[in-house]
Amino acid sequence: MLDRLQELKDEAITKVKEAGSLNELRDIRVTYLGKKGPITEVLKGMGKLPAEERPKVGQMANEVREAVASLIAERETRLEEEALTAKLQKESIDITLPGRPVNKGSRHPLTSVIETIEDIFIGMGFTVAEGPEVETDYYNFESLNLPKDHPARDMQDTFFITNELLLRTQTSPVQTRTMEKHEGRGPVKIICPGKVYRRDEDDATHSHQFMQIEGLLVDENIRMSDLKGIFEQFVKRYFGENREIRLRPSYFPFTEPSAELDVSCAICGGKGCRTCKQTGWIEVLGSGMVHPNVLRMSGFDPEKYTGFAFGMGVERFAMLKYGVDDIRHFYTNDTRFLSQFTRV
Amino acid sequence: MLVSYKWLKDYIEIDDLTPQEIAEKLTRSGVEVDIVHEMNQGVKNIVVGKVLECEKHPEADKLNLCKVDIGEEEPVQIVCGAANVGADQFVVVAKVGARLPGGMKIKRAKLRGQVSEGMICSLQELGFEGKVVAKEFSEGIFNFPTEIAPGTDALGLLNLDDQVLELDLTANRADCLSLIGTAYEIAAILGRDVKLPEVTEIKETKEKGSDYVSVRVEATEDNPYYGAIMIKDVTIAPSPLWLQTKLMASGIRPINNVVDITNFVLLEYGQPLHAFDYERFGSKEVLVRRAKDEEKMTTLDDVDRTLSSDYLAITNGTVPVALAGVMGGADSEVSEDTKTILLEAAYFKGTTIRKASRELGLRSDASSRFEKGVDPSRVKKAGLRAATMIAELAGGTVLSEVVEHNNLDVTPKEITITLDKINGVLGTSITNTEVNDILHKLQFDFEEDNNQYKVSVPTRRQDVQIQVDIVEEVGRLYGYNNIPTTLPNTATTPGGLTSVQANKRKVRRFLENVGLHEAVSYSLTTTEKESHFKDEGGYRVKVASPMSEERSTLRTTLLPHLLDALSHNKNRNILNVNLYEMGSVFSTEEQTVTKQPEETTYISGAIMGLWHEHSWQGEKKPVDFYVLKGMVEGLLAQLNVIDKAEFIQGEGKGFHPGRTAKLLVNGVEIGILGQLHPSVAKEWSLTEVYMFEINLHRLLMEEVEAIRYTPIPRYPAMDRDIALVVDEGVQAGVVESLIKEFGGQLITRVALFDLYQGEHLEKGKKSLAFSLRYQDPEKTLTEEEVTKVHEAVLNGLEEKIGAKLRS
Ligand SMILES: [Zn+2]
């Protein structure tokens, strides 16, 4: 009987090895390991054996069963893998074909500059204030220390609607409007982005409509050195860590002392190039300590409060940042221009 | 203001500094120098020549043959085309080998058979601007006013070795509108002295000025000082060369000695003066008064002017002879025959001058200085300086005594300030020694006692009026660079955006992500463009004097701007364009605007062309109403107002009558979307365009519920699909809301998944297929329960709109 078992085992092994499909394997399993299979048959005939031989035959029969079963399992796995590999092979695609396109719009570069600057100042505790584009003469000029016949009004040629109403020439009126709301109590920490209008012929560097961002910080004991400190933080975050700042004395009717802020030129690193007109510096904004008259008119006591204000041209920032050479691009809405800002 | 470097040296010692170094220092301390002009634009080898003989070229009418002594052994022959060349003139000769601006090289030449060894030059050929060349030489060659040894180098004589600083002065620094003022500024930076010209009192004469003229000022507030100086027996002639070249370097055209001297003193002192021809003045009285409305006069530029009572006039007691502070009159202009001069040195109030100058569009060197305020203590001095020079250069006699009206305040402004205040504003720790030093350099008189300052500001610095002005003076000369960098000691404040601001960003992000490019356009437009969308009648906000009709009216809709943009792109063959804009529109209820208009933020979009291009995976898909609607729905969902929103079939001016929806939120109309009316599209040369416009302000005013979690259903849902046949005219939206109505609470979703119209259906019918989802949050629905509700839905639909299940 042992010989028969050995024979069965060899026979099964050969068949398993030759099996080319899962179906054949299933047949082999049924044939050899099924209830009616030869091994079962052998076991059934065990009763005729002497008692001492039975365990030996039983043991061998089990061994043969297990050996065949594990061999089948092994072969099964192999065949499954092969079948899968073949299937995957057949499913292969040309991954160089283009993907299904998604429509992607873009943020206008001016919006992008405004939001970036807003976020930097929000990080420093500022809030964003807005105001009307059609302003009164009072808020646009008089409250900013520019009485009706002030010569500095010429700096900003104005679109008047009536004698008292105009298109704002600057975002500064939002300063006074906000200060009034604070009813003489600090701190006031705002930045005010928005559209402004001046009577300029549109050309590569002028636009009758453009955008500004105004900033204001009023509190007790605000110093010009604080203005430098805030600017330094802002410039490093907006333009980059290795940029330097420089203040130059200037004049604005609503600040005293007044200063222009220059940033070291990124293109030449300060050595002088065409972009910076060989100076190594690029003028980026006007600023100064809020004029006592402005504080007083907005309800703040200039003996107690000081503050600084600054204003910057958004187009200028965008032109510097993206290397745009003609301001009119910002208002033409050519999608060949706009779509370049999809990544911002 | 143009400042000649060479001329500046008359007032301050600056030999050790180049013009560029001076420019840098001025710029850094607050007087910006725009550019340093080189007077010499590449001219080399020019000399003085004396024309010995001059005759017509035998072969050419317009050419002259000149024999010119240029200081060499033999005179040279030069062919000259200038009409004004003549014998005995002293001229500028560019010798053979000389260079002129633009790299032009002078060579020996033959002109119509005649040798020409050099060129006799006009000033323009040497690089001078035409507007500074004296009239008599503007069409020809230049003549030196006096004899000069032939062969003398002409570069220096013509001041071509000079450099000129162009100051870009801010409105406050009128003090630098003069050589002396600029010298004071440089002196303050360098800590040097200013050398002032010597002005002597008039020598006693037998005849007095008052024998010739009296001065009466009616408009005393406009004119606190008027001085008249009489100068007799002058000879009008060209000015000496040094005076002419100084004026030319400063951008002023030489005219004659007397006028040139007034201009010279204007530049030197910043004090405008005016010389009248006394014989043509018309009376023996100067009367300064406001002009009368409609009063007429002819100014020096030969323009007839109509005056108004806002302007100040210098009159001879009867008629205006000068528009005070702006321009003299043509009738009393100094001419070749003038013998007696009435020289005016006056102080006019800035605002009055400014008004006249602005209204008449007449800007002069005088008006720009008076407007900003001249130094009251220099008025008379300037007059005396000019009178002395006239006597010297035009050979006249100055009559003693200045005839004047004087109630001019020349007391210096006194400002008290503490050292603490200075340091408190600047954030510095400047010592009193440093402040003292700065005030000394500024040549401000002051007293200091225990860090308390009493500063007496010289009248030339009219801009320094209050404490912070002193702070600025100290700060800028201390150097803004030396101010430390600190952070404010202010209370910490939470920064951030308001919810409206944050939502606006959300709207932008959404529209960017669904494929729209953000556009920004101008707020100013025309009513004509808007008329395609807006009814006639409504009032508009208009600019009083627009720069162009195109930019005359404030917009009330963003749509025309988007169409302009589409059209711009289309003209460049960009046919698939998707844009949105967020911006203000302006409306008023008033016919004549008296108060600020209502400004409302709108969000608008426009799409045209293909939404999906033809690709290997599928056919192209043009934009249509539903692409647009999908965006608007998405936006409403993003803002969490979709459940309150409703689209109803509607019409809007400029929109396709069958393809337009009104957007209602909480029953209030706040927007429109649809196809642009084809005939409006044609106006922009466009075809199929879809656009929306929503009052974003209103949309963002909606109360939005905060997000609250609802439990995920624990019991299964059951989906049933139905295909309904309804009349063509029945709107899908109506069917959908009926399903919801009849299905009640158990229906949790209704989605249209097919629309069919065609041969398999009866004419006039269409089939709508919906997928319905039934779900009960409390329990598992049984087949029977669902069927019951489903039957109710079907029955209801049949009853209400005759819908039948499609078989
Ligand atoms: Zn550079």
Side-chain angles (χ1 to χ4, degrees):
Chain A
M1 279 187 113
L2 290 174
D3 290 347
R4 172 74 182 137
L5 282 171
Q6 187 59 49
E7 204 176 293
L8 281 169
K9 185 181 173 187
D10 293 345
E11 203 181 288
I13 287 172
T14 314
K15 281 197 174 163
V16 168
K17 277 185 180 155
E18 282 169 1
S21 73
L22 290 168
N23 281 345
E24 275 177 57
L25 270 183
R26 200 168 50 237
D27 292 347
I28 296 168
R29 176 178 309 164
V30 174
T31 312
Y32 288 92
L33 304 178
K35 280 179 184 145
K36 287 171 188 163
I39 298 174
T40 318
E41 286 299 312
V42 172
L43 287 172
K44 274 181 188 162
M46 228 167 38
K48 294 168 193 162
L49 286 180
E52 69 277 14
E53 279 186 31
R54 281 182 204 163
K56 216 173 160 189
V57 171
Q59 194 188 343
M60 174 138 181
N62 280 334
E63 275 170 21
V64 169
R65 256 180 180 288
E66 273 163 31
V68 172
S70 85
L71 209 64
I72 290 173
E74 209 172 280
R75 181 77 185 148
E76 212 168 39
T77 315
R78 263 280 290 291
L79 284 175
E80 273 169 1
E81 273 169 8
E82 275 168 17
L84 183 62
T85 310
K87 182 167 178 266
L88 295 182
Q89 193 79 45
K90 254 171 73 187
E91 286 173 0
S92 130
I93 57 167
D94 178 359
I95 53 84
T96 64
L97 283 170
R100 199 183 277 272
V102 288
N103 287 343
K104 182 80 176 79
S106 59
R107 197 170 314 166
H108 196 283
L110 297 178
T111 302
S112 171
V113 167
I114 289 176
E115 291 188 2
T116 307
I117 294 174
E118 279 176 353
D119 289 342
I120 294 173
F121 281 95
I122 286 171
M124 295 192 277
F126 286 66
T127 52
V128 179
E130 290 156 307
E133 290 170 35
V134 175
E135 259 300 356
T136 61
D137 188 88
Y138 176 79
Y139 282 109
N140 194 74
F141 289 126
E142 285 175 52
S143 74
L144 294 163
N145 202 29
L146 274 152
K148 282 237 156 66
D149 48 19
H150 197 289
R153 280 199 181 199
D154 292 357
M155 286 156 76
Q156 309 175 355
D157 217 345
T158 310
F159 283 109
F160 277 97
I161 291 165
T162 67
N163 279 339
E164 293 303 321
L165 289 177
L166 45 85
L167 294 181
R168 65 177 175 192
T169 59
Q170 45 194 356
T171 39
S172 319
V174 186
Q175 278 184 27
T176 31
R177 283 182 177 276
T178 311
M179 276 195 275
E180 280 180 3
K181 281 187 204 134
H182 277 255
E183 296 180 333
R185 277 187 303 275
V188 182
K189 287 172 84 173
I190 49 162
I191 57 160
C192 330
K195 291 178 182 143
V196 300
Y197 305 84
R198 290 184 198 176
R199 300 178 70 94
D200 274 324
E201 292 289 345
D202 296 337
D203 61 25
T205 51
H206 297 85
S207 181
H208 75 276
Q209 173 183 319
F210 57 103
M211 299 206 197
Q212 268 193 344
I213 300 182
E214 190 84 7
L216 175 73
L217 195 166
V218 173
D219 204 354
E220 291 173 37
N221 304 317
I222 298 297
R223 306 152 294 179
M224 198 153 167
S225 56
D226 298 333
L227 173 145
K228 270 183 101 173
I230 293 279
F231 280 167
E232 198 168 76
Q233 303 238 329
F234 164 63
V235 163
K236 287 187 186 295
R237 288 199 53 192
Y238 187 87
F239 291 103
E241 270 306 316
N242 46 12
R243 305 292 288 277
E244 303 291 325
I245 64 161
R246 160 178 110 166
L247 287 186
R248 248 178 327 108
S250 187
Y251 170 74
F252 305 104
F254 29 91
T255 52
E256 185 80 8
S258 303
E260 299 272 4
L261 175 72
D262 296 344
V263 172
S264 59
C265 176
I267 292 173
C268 61
K271 287 196 285 289
C273 69
R274 231 184 46 169
T275 305
C276 58
K277 292 185 199 143
Q278 309 305 330
T279 62
W281 295 93
I282 291 178
E283 187 178 315
V284 295
L285 56 79
S287 64
M289 301 302 289
V290 183
H291 197 285
N293 292 353
V294 175
L295 287 171
R296 201 174 295 121
M297 277 186 278
S298 311
F300 278 76
D301 177 4
E303 295 300 316
K304 188 174 168 199
Y305 284 100
T306 47
F308 63 77
F310 53 89
M312 49 196 143
V314 177
E315 282 79 357
R316 181 160 173 74
F317 272 65
M319 288 168 108
L320 287 173
K321 186 163 183 170
Y322 304 116
V324 176
D325 56 2
D326 190 325
I327 198 169
R328 288 168 293 196
H329 283 312
F330 295 118
Y331 295 95
T332 314
N333 302 316
D334 190 313
T335 53
R336 292 168 302 180
F337 175 77
L338 296 176
S339 58
Q340 293 180 37
F341 301 94
T342 307
R343 287 180 295 124
V344 300
Chain B
M1 173 78 190
L2 295 169
V3 177
S4 148
Y5 173 72
K6 272 169 79 181
W7 189 4
L8 196 55
K9 289 186 193 177
D10 291 350
Y11 311 101
I12 184 165
E13 180 65 49
I14 42 168
D15 281 329
D16 54 334
L17 294 163
T18 65
Q20 286 73 18
E21 285 166 338
I22 302 253
E24 171 69 11
K25 283 183 191 298
L26 281 168
T27 300
R28 293 303 304 280
S29 60
V31 171
E32 191 171 342
V33 179
D34 248 2
I35 187 167
V36 178
H37 298 280
E38 291 286 340
M39 287 294 287
N40 188 345
Q41 295 167 36
V43 179
K44 257 191 237 165
N45 219 352
I46 55 166
V47 296
V48 178
K50 182 180 182 186
V51 182
L52 302 173
E53 290 167 24
C54 177
E55 55 194 43
K56 285 265 168 269
H57 188 295
E59 307 290 328
D61 272 359
K62 294 199 170 148
L63 295 180
N64 301 290
L65 288 185
C66 305
K67 196 158 278 173
V68 187
D69 177 359
I70 55 167
E72 289 173 2
E73 275 173 37
E74 290 293 318
V76 293
Q77 172 169 293
I78 297 177
V79 178
C80 177
N84 69 335
V85 67
D88 299 326
Q89 290 175 348
F90 287 82
V91 295
V92 186
V93 175
K95 299 205 289 188
V96 171
R99 297 262 180 183
L100 296 184
M104 180 180 161
K105 194 172 175 183
I106 303 301
K107 294 180 193 140
R108 178 191 303 262
K110 250 192 175 173
L111 289 159
R112 298 278 181 99
Q114 293 290 337
V115 173
S116 182
E117 296 188 89
M119 174 177 158
I120 303 178
C121 300
S122 70
L123 290 178
Q124 288 94 323
E125 282 160 339
L126 295 170
F128 285 89
E129 273 188 84
K131 70 176 169 90
V132 303
V133 176
K135 283 252 169 66
E136 50 190 314
F137 305 129
S138 63
E139 301 291 327
I141 56 155
F142 174 72
N143 290 354
F144 286 103
T146 49
E147 293 189 8
I148 301 169
T152 308
D153 182 7
L155 271 179
L157 287 173
L158 292 170
N159 198 35
L160 284 174
D161 53 352
D162 197 3
Q163 281 156 306
V164 176
L165 282 65
E166 183 166 351
L167 310 187
D168 181 11
L169 290 172
T170 52
N172 60 328
R173 293 305 302 270
D175 60 300
C176 287
L177 282 170
S178 67
L179 269 295
I180 290 176
T182 308
Y184 269 112
E185 178 66 15
I186 297 169
I189 299 166
L190 301 174
R192 293 184 183 173
D193 289 331
V194 172
K195 296 179 277 182
L196 295 176
E198 245 175 73
V199 179
T200 45
E201 282 296 320
I202 307 167
K203 283 199 206 86
E204 193 65 28
T205 51
K206 215 164 101 200
E207 283 185 305
K208 304 287 177 228
S210 52
D211 297 340
Y212 285 79
V213 74
S214 64
V215 168
R216 185 153 64 93
V217 175
E218 273 178 11
T220 50
E221 197 179 314
D222 296 324
N223 180 205
Y225 180 86
Y226 196 100
I229 302 173
M230 294 301 304
I231 307 151
K232 278 185 73 181
D233 306 324
V234 298
T235 310
I236 303 299
S239 299
L241 189 59
W242 64 263
L243 177 48
Q244 293 196 29
T245 55
K246 276 186 164 128
L247 293 184
M248 287 195 288
S250 311
I252 291 179
R253 182 202 297 270
I255 294 168
N256 59 48
N257 47 11
V258 169
V259 174
D260 291 355
I261 287 165
T262 60
N263 282 329
F264 176 90
V265 176
L266 165 109
L267 292 166
E268 186 180 52
Y269 276 80
Q271 170 64 43
L273 302 169
H274 186 67
F276 294 99
D277 182 336
Y278 178 73
E279 272 85 26
R280 296 166 68 198
F281 192 79
S283 81
K284 292 179 78 172
E285 182 196 37
V286 174
L287 168 65
V288 186
R289 59 162 167 83
R290 283 294 182 100
K292 294 169 190 153
D293 286 326
E294 301 299 312
E295 200 167 14
K296 305 262 196 276
M297 76 167 289
T298 307
T299 40
L300 275 177
D301 52 3
D302 286 325
V303 178
D304 294 328
R305 310 276 177 182
T306 305
L307 312 185
S308 96
S309 57
D310 288 334
Y311 312 162
L312 189 64
I314 310 299
T315 72
N316 59 11
T318 339
V319 294
V321 289
L323 186 56
V326 182
M327 198 175 267
D331 292 344
S332 54
E333 183 181 0
V334 170
S335 69
E336 277 175 44
D337 313 319
T338 302
K339 292 277 171 273
T340 311
I341 298 286
L342 190 171
L343 181 68
E344 163 196 294
Y347 184 100
F348 301 117
K349 192 177 156 198
T351 49
T352 314
I353 301 307
R354 185 176 137 88
K355 181 131 184 123
S357 138
R358 274 185 75 89
E359 285 186 7
L360 293 170
L362 191 56
R363 277 286 159 88
S364 63
D365 288 313
S367 70
S368 65
R369 284 172 176 80
F370 279 125
E371 270 182 23
K372 292 173 181 128
V374 297
D375 178 358
S377 27
R378 269 189 216 148
V379 185
K380 187 174 175 182
K381 225 177 263 174
L384 292 173
R385 164 80 166 150
T388 315
M389 283 178 72
I390 291 171
E392 210 172 286
L393 301 177
T397 310
V398 184
L399 302 189
S400 57
E401 285 172 19
V402 178
V403 185
E404 58 188 9
H405 158 89
N406 187 1
N407 58 359
L408 187 61
D409 181 11
V410 291
T411 35
K413 181 93 190 167
E414 290 223 330
I415 301 171
T416 55
I417 189 167
T418 64
L419 184 63
D420 281 352
K421 172 77 182 176
I422 294 172
N423 281 320
V425 174
L426 295 176
T428 47
S429 39
I430 306 177
T431 62
N432 60 356
T433 324
E434 287 169 311
V435 172
N436 295 354
D437 181 49
I438 288 167
L439 293 174
H440 278 305
K441 284 178 173 174
L442 284 164
Q443 305 188 32
F444 286 9
D445 288 334
F446 66 95
E447 290 164 27
E448 187 238 323
D449 180 23
N450 197 20
N451 295 338
Q452 288 267 0
Y453 286 86
K454 193 194 273 180
V455 184
S456 153
V457 184
T459 50
R460 65 187 153 82
R461 290 298 305 275
Q462 295 284 308
D463 59 315
V464 180
Q465 293 285 335
I466 56 174
Q467 284 187 344
V468 281
D469 296 330
I470 296 286
V471 174
E472 179 172 71
E473 289 303 301
V474 173
R476 72 186 183 89
L477 290 170
Y478 177 71
Y480 281 6
N481 262 6
N482 300 320
I483 295 175
T485 302
T486 58
L487 284 177
N489 288 321
T490 154
T492 315
T493 45
L497 297 172
T498 62
S499 74
V500 167
Q501 288 163 350
N503 275 326
K504 282 183 182 172
R505 283 201 188 183
K506 211 189 241 185
V507 169
R508 291 182 196 279
R509 289 308 88 80
F510 178 82
L511 294 175
E512 283 159 22
N513 288 329
V514 298
L516 301 186
H517 294 291
E518 185 188 5
V520 177
S521 48
Y522 299 130
S523 305
L524 287 170
T525 180
T526 64
T527 33
E528 195 273 323
K529 262 191 186 163
E530 296 204 335
S531 66
H532 298 293
F533 297 97
K534 297 284 167 172
D535 290 324
E536 307 292 317
Y539 301 128
R540 299 299 158 87
V541 185
K542 293 195 174 200
V543 168
S545 45
M547 293 173 75
S548 68
E549 188 50 38
E550 192 73 355
R551 309 264 170 252
S552 58
T553 311
L554 280 168
R555 62 184 178 185
T556 61
T557 165
L558 309 182
L559 297 176
H561 299 268
L562 289 173
L563 293 178
D564 283 347
L566 294 188
S567 172
H568 167 94
N569 282 286
K570 193 186 173 199
N571 291 341
R572 281 147 192 85
N573 213 26
I574 309 159
L575 306 175
N576 309 330
V577 185
N578 314 310
L579 295 172
Y580 84 90
E581 179 167 6
M582 185 188 292
S584 290
V585 300
F586 305 80
S587 60
T588 179
E589 305 276 286
E590 302 176 295
Q591 184 168 16
T592 313
V593 178
T594 62
K595 52 179 192 282
Q596 284 170 282
E598 181 115 1
E599 288 181 30
T600 315
T601 310
Y602 271 25
I603 182 91
S604 304
I607 56 178
M608 70 171 190
L610 297 179
W611 187 241
H612 289 304
E613 305 230 28
H614 181 90
S615 82
W616 65 278
Q617 279 188 310
E619 284 296 302
K620 62 189 179 187
K621 183 177 179 331
V623 295
D624 60 20
F625 177 83
Y626 301 101
V627 169
L628 188 80
K629 189 181 177 196
M631 288 176 189
V632 175
E633 285 171 331
L635 179 64
L636 296 169
Q638 178 80 60
L639 296 172
N640 200 16
V641 289
I642 188 77
D643 293 339
K644 302 173 189 166
E646 196 183 342
F647 293 90
I648 59 165
Q649 193 96 29
E651 281 182 32
K653 196 170 183 205
F655 282 83
H656 187 305
R659 296 183 173 181
T660 299
K662 296 273 170 96
L663 169 64
L664 274 54
V665 171
N666 275 334
V668 181
E669 184 184 324
I670 65 159
I672 187 166
L673 60 154
Q675 185 183 343
L676 177 65
H677 197 292
S679 57
V680 178
K682 221 162 155 191
E683 295 285 323
W684 268 274
S685 308
L686 298 168
T687 50
E688 205 174 327
V689 174
Y690 294 89
M691 47 209 313
F692 69 84
E693 180 151 271
I694 299 170
N695 183 330
L696 184 64
H697 170 76
R698 286 294 299 270
L699 189 59
L700 297 181
M701 268 172 25
E702 290 300 325
E703 287 272 328
V704 172
E705 288 153 35
I707 297 176
R708 277 198 67 81
Y709 151 84
T710 37
I712 294 160
R714 276 189 290 166
Y715 303 99
M718 221 177 282
D719 289 344
R720 295 267 175 108
D721 290 351
I722 49 171
L724 297 167
V725 178
V726 294
D727 286 345
E728 233 169 27
V730 174
Q731 291 179 324
V734 172
V735 182
E736 188 183 318
S737 43
L738 285 174
I739 293 173
K740 284 180 182 160
E741 187 188 325
F742 297 126
Q745 298 227 315
L746 289 186
I747 292 230
T748 57
R749 194 181 77 118
V750 180
L752 179 83
F753 67 88
D754 191 38
L755 164 69
Y756 178 79
Q757 253 168 312
E759 47 181 328
H760 301 292
L761 283 178
E762 204 180 313
K763 227 176 152 216
K765 298 279 183 187
K766 66 180 174 188
S767 152
L768 297 167
F770 290 93
S771 174
L772 279 51
R773 171 163 294 172
Y774 294 94
Q775 193 162 32
D776 188 328
E778 304 299 328
K779 61 178 198 298
T780 304
L781 287 172
T782 63
E783 196 67 37
E784 292 71 43
E785 284 169 318
V786 170
T787 304
K788 207 175 135 203
V789 182
H790 198 65
E791 291 295 325
V793 170
L794 294 176
N795 291 338
L797 288 171
E798 179 157 15
E799 207 169 289
K800 202 91 183 206
I801 52 169
K804 292 212 161 51
L805 272 181
R806 191 175 167 193
S807 44

